[in-house]
Amino acid sequence: MTSLSVSTNFTLHKALKDLTDEIFTCATINLRDMSSGYEILGMHRHPEHREDYMEWAPGARYCALVGDFNGWSPTENCAKEGHFGHDDYGYWFIILEDKLKDGEKPDELYFQQYNYIDDYDKGDSGVTIEEIFKKANDEYWEPGEDRFVKNRFEVPAKLYEQIFGPNGPQTLEELEEIPDAETRYKAWKEQHKDDPPSNLPSYDVIDNGKEYDIFNVVLDPVSQEKFRAKKPPLPYWFETRKGRKAWLKKYRPCIPHGSKCRWRTSFCNPLGTTPELAYKWKNAHPKVPKSLRIYECHVGISGSEPKVSSFSDFTEKVLPHVKDAGYNAIQLIGVIEHKDYLPLVIEPLIYMLLAADLALLMISSSWLMKHMARTAALFDGTNDCYFHTGKRGHHKHWGTRMFKYGDLDVLHFLLSNLNWWVTEYQIDGFQFHSLSSMMYAHNGFASFTGDLEEYCNQYDRDALLYLILANEILHALHPDIITIAEDATFYPGLCEPTSQGGLGFDYCVNLSVSEMWSSFLENVPDHDWSMSKIVSTLMGNKNYADKMLMYAENHNQSISGGRSFAEILFGEIREVLMTQRNYCSEVVPCTR
């Protein structure tokens, strides 16, 4: 390894440490929280019979939820700048309450919670709420201790009276200068020096000698252990919870299942439909294959009819062929950004994949991590919510917008999205597609001779740090995850551990193989194929020999303007047959 590449790896490793320090200190969250924004952002069913929606749109001044449920009204469920529902960090929050059905009464407890997943009713035990609370108080609180719960001002009122007396000052003007803590403590000790031990609290104050922390409260070990051994009355609280049946009997959901809705700011963002019941997975993840045999597919064009195929079509007609052909993984393209089928209906397909012991890989394409359509840049009414401004924010050749990976909120969004697909949809891995478009300032449109300076002097540091963080977090939270890098430039360190300055991918793709076969089939007669070129291309980059994936053909040949092998071969056969047919028709029949 040359000194230049070592220096670059060291620089990246230091930059990664600085970034994680910033996340831990400024954002005050850990890496798991950094990738779990999907748990609070977006739309979520709240246990207190309501629907919550949170979105980050710092440039917006007005946001609303509109849809079938409110007649697409832009004012019924909205939040405005300066009003409840918007904070100083650009996060918007809207609450939609469920509606009581006719003849039903509100819950006796205003904080009554409902379990929307299970059908059974935990609260239907025949015990009244008063009995449950009395039992919890008797078994949890010490005698007389619960009076502080009923009146939270009793303790400060008594302390105030002890310090200032029953006729103490009532205004700031009447309040004299309060003695410092040491003086007040010594006076208290002198006042109670003759008291029996039972009257004194189970703690004392000692001087640890530090100017910035003069006094430190030291708890009595016996009292501390007794306190830690006490468990909150959660079992009794669960008895007050109701199940899904009780909720459906009493309430109408604020957004009925199947309703179409949108998040409306200056740019309308489709949300799709809202489920009322969480999907339960019945099969575990398949074991990570030692040798991947990947079937790459695009659901929308997988059918034989001239229409956009659905997930159910793919599950019924294509999946059996994939299994019978000996593949152990499928790689889906275009699921995220395809407008004609929503991710919600992918669940039956994943269920069948799990049952068939097939791994599911997702191509992390344009929407997910690299770039986005220009219209999406106006999500909150600004031009730079998630994206860079100026030339850096525009892809030089594709006309799309580039994410600003150095922004913590953007990182939060991107990393959470990866974790969400794995957690919610049981994805087994990702192929990070066209990495060169994000890793380099020139978006990968430059000539590469293999000189290390070409890699080390024009890379996008923020994008590389995002890829390292993505690999670290995915492998930490999901040890069996598979990450694949598709990079035509073979960036040094693609599959090296992040601890050694690498990007941390499990595999990389040798794109030259499929391009070679396509070129040979289309342009070179089979008797002129170069065996030395075939061998050298199949060998690829020797540094990644054990981590390299090769496709006989890939999506570039059928989606990105090229021709598939079938189109090339069948086209040639058709031409041959047509030539023979024309020749036969022109031959003059012989006569006897």
Side-chain angles (χ1 to χ4, degrees):
M1 185 178 288
T2 66
S3 59
L4 184 61
S5 61
V6 171
S7 174
T8 302
N9 286 349
F10 175 78
T11 303
L12 278 177
H13 190 69
K14 183 181 183 303
L16 177 66
K17 185 179 182 303
D18 293 340
L19 177 60
T20 53
D21 287 345
E22 182 183 1
I23 292 173
F24 293 153
T25 55
C26 299
T28 63
I29 58 176
N30 55 37
L31 290 181
R32 188 210 171 276
D33 294 336
M34 190 71 176
S35 62
S36 301
Y38 65 89
E39 295 179 353
I40 56 173
L41 290 169
M43 186 172 290
H44 294 278
R45 165 59 59 179
H46 193 280
E48 293 177 14
H49 52 78
R50 72 183 205 223
E51 198 88 42
D52 293 349
Y53 189 82
M54 181 182 285
E55 187 61 83
W56 183 63
R61 296 189 175 183
Y62 158 86
C63 295
L65 276 175
V66 299
D68 298 336
F69 66 96
N70 63 5
W72 299 91
S73 168
T75 58
E76 185 172 340
N77 303 105
C78 66
K80 299 178 182 178
E81 189 178 31
H83 294 75
F84 178 76
H86 178 245
D87 66 13
D88 296 334
Y89 300 96
Y91 286 90
W92 297 82
F93 189 55
I94 293 179
I95 298 175
L96 288 81
E97 297 283 351
D98 292 337
K99 305 292 192 300
L100 273 174
K101 290 184 176 179
D102 295 340
E104 295 290 342
K105 297 180 180 179
D107 293 315
E108 298 180 42
L109 302 177
Y110 74 93
F111 49 83
Q112 179 72 64
Q113 293 194 350
Y114 289 84
N115 178 1
Y116 299 103
I117 298 177
D118 300 315
D119 282 337
Y120 59 83
D121 300 323
K122 291 184 177 179
D124 294 344
S125 58
V127 182
T128 64
I129 294 175
E130 290 74 15
E131 291 176 308
I132 292 174
F133 282 178
K134 184 178 184 304
K135 189 176 181 182
N137 287 335
D138 292 343
E139 297 184 8
Y140 180 69
W141 301 107
E142 294 293 332
E145 191 178 8
D146 61 329
R147 74 176 187 273
F148 299 125
V149 179
K150 298 175 183 177
N151 188 350
R152 61 193 180 96
F153 296 110
E154 184 175 347
V155 172
K158 284 186 176 295
L159 288 175
Y160 183 87
E161 185 175 328
Q162 288 177 6
I163 296 174
F164 302 110
N167 300 316
Q170 302 298 315
T171 64
L172 289 176
E173 290 74 14
E174 297 177 9
L175 182 64
E176 299 177 357
E177 185 176 352
I178 301 176
D180 61 274
E182 183 179 7
T183 303
R184 286 187 281 116
Y185 169 67
K186 290 180 178 178
W188 178 82
K189 289 286 285 186
E190 179 63 27
Q191 180 183 357
H192 295 280
K193 63 181 180 180
D194 297 327
D195 287 4
S198 59
N199 288 357
L200 296 177
S202 58
Y203 57 84
D204 205 347
V205 182
I206 62 171
D207 183 358
N208 62 11
K210 296 180 181 179
E211 293 183 359
Y212 58 85
D213 187 19
I214 299 177
F215 293 101
N216 183 29
V217 176
V218 179
L219 296 176
D220 170 49
V222 177
S223 300
Q224 190 175 18
E225 188 62 31
K226 184 178 179 182
F227 176 80
R228 287 177 176 173
K230 295 176 72 66
K231 296 181 179 179
L234 290 179
Y236 311 113
W237 169 250
F238 285 139
E239 286 191 53
T240 69
R241 263 175 45 173
K242 300 290 184 180
R244 185 168 181 266
K245 286 182 179 178
W247 166 63
L248 288 175
K249 176 180 178 296
K250 179 172 279 193
Y251 292 96
R252 291 194 307 272
C254 53
I255 304 182
H257 179 63
S259 298
K260 294 181 180 180
C261 53
R262 289 180 181 268
W263 171 248
R264 177 170 178 167
T265 55
S266 54
F267 174 77
C268 289
N269 181 32
L271 294 174
T273 57
T274 305
E276 294 174 9
L277 183 61
Y279 192 89
K280 285 188 176 183
W281 300 104
K282 300 176 182 178
N283 299 80
H285 279 277
K287 294 181 179 179
V288 178
K290 293 183 179 179
S291 175
L292 282 173
R293 297 186 296 278
I294 301 172
Y295 185 91
E296 189 181 58
C297 47
H298 189 294
V299 172
I301 61 174
S302 63
S304 58
E305 300 178 15
K307 67 173 186 177
V308 176
S309 294
S310 65
F311 282 113
S312 58
D313 294 334
F314 183 88
T315 304
E316 179 183 349
K317 300 175 183 177
V318 181
L319 197 56
H321 159 70
V322 175
K323 181 66 176 176
D324 293 341
Y327 294 95
N328 56 22
I330 72 166
Q331 187 165 287
L332 292 182
I333 309 170
V335 173
I336 299 158
E337 57 277 297
H338 204 290
K339 64 182 179 63
D340 290 324
Y341 46 83
L342 296 170
L344 181 65
V345 293
I346 196 176
E347 289 158 338
L349 167 60
I350 299 176
Y351 173 80
M352 294 302 296
L353 286 171
L354 294 174
D357 205 30
L358 283 170
L360 173 59
L361 308 178
M362 187 79 74
I363 283 197
S364 248
S365 51
S366 25
W367 184 84
L368 188 56
M369 57 142 215
K370 295 197 316 294
H371 50 90
M372 210 168 189
R374 282 174 293 182
T375 52
L378 301 175
F379 172 70
D380 69 338
T382 67
N383 198 35
D384 59 351
C385 180
Y386 288 90
F387 312 98
H388 289 295
T389 56
K391 291 183 178 179
R392 191 180 179 188
H394 295 266
H395 194 285
K396 290 180 174 59
H397 299 275
W398 296 345
T400 51
R401 296 302 307 273
M402 305 300 294
F403 285 111
K404 50 181 178 184
Y405 300 99
D407 187 284
L408 292 186
D409 284 295
V410 175
L411 278 177
H412 190 213
F413 162 71
L414 294 171
L415 295 171
S416 296
N417 201 294
L418 288 170
N419 191 20
W420 178 78
W421 277 102
V422 181
T423 305
E424 296 296 322
Y425 286 99
Q426 308 292 295
I427 302 299
D428 298 292
F430 296 95
Q431 188 208 83
F432 287 68
H433 177 58
S434 298
L435 287 183
S436 56
S437 68
M438 61 181 288
M439 291 197 306
Y440 300 102
H442 51 64
N443 300 133
F445 286 84
S447 59
F448 279 83
T449 63
D451 192 332
L452 277 175
E453 290 188 1
E454 296 170 345
Y455 299 104
C456 302
N457 294 338
Q458 47 193 357
Y459 65 84
D460 187 320
R461 191 192 71 164
D462 291 339
L464 289 177
L465 290 178
Y466 159 68
L467 293 174
I468 295 172
L469 266 182
N471 274 305
E472 279 203 346
I473 289 176
L474 283 173
H475 286 94
L477 299 181
H478 313 284
D480 294 331
I481 201 73
I482 300 169
T483 59
I484 304 169
E486 186 200 85
D487 171 34
T489 70
F490 286 112
Y491 181 87
L494 274 177
C495 298
E496 298 297 329
T498 57
S499 59
Q500 298 180 19
L503 301 190
F505 286 97
D506 298 309
Y507 298 96
C508 62
V509 179
N510 185 349
L511 292 172
S512 304
V513 175
S514 56
E515 293 172 359
M516 176 193 69
W517 294 129
S518 177
S519 176
F520 277 175
L521 285 172
E522 200 157 15
N523 305 311
V524 183
D526 53 4
H527 57 271
D528 289 335
W529 287 13
S530 169
M531 187 58 65
S532 60
K533 181 177 181 180
I534 292 176
V535 172
S536 62
T537 304
L538 291 176
M539 289 293 293
N541 190 325
K542 296 180 181 179
N543 296 326
Y544 300 140
D546 61 333
K547 297 185 176 182
M548 186 172 292
L549 298 176
M550 293 178 286
Y551 295 150
E553 58 179 329
N554 63 32
H555 62 277
N556 292 330
Q557 294 155 251
S558 57
I559 295 179
S560 303
R563 290 199 299 164
S564 67
F565 291 173
E567 290 173 316
I568 296 172
L569 294 173
F570 295 162
E572 290 182 356
I573 294 172
R574 183 176 182 276
E575 291 173 5
V576 171
L577 292 174
M578 290 299 295
T579 302
Q580 292 176 345
R581 183 177 178 183
N582 292 335
Y583 173 77
C584 293
S585 63
E586 294 172 0
V587 173
V588 179
C590 359
T591 57
R592 293 182 181 178

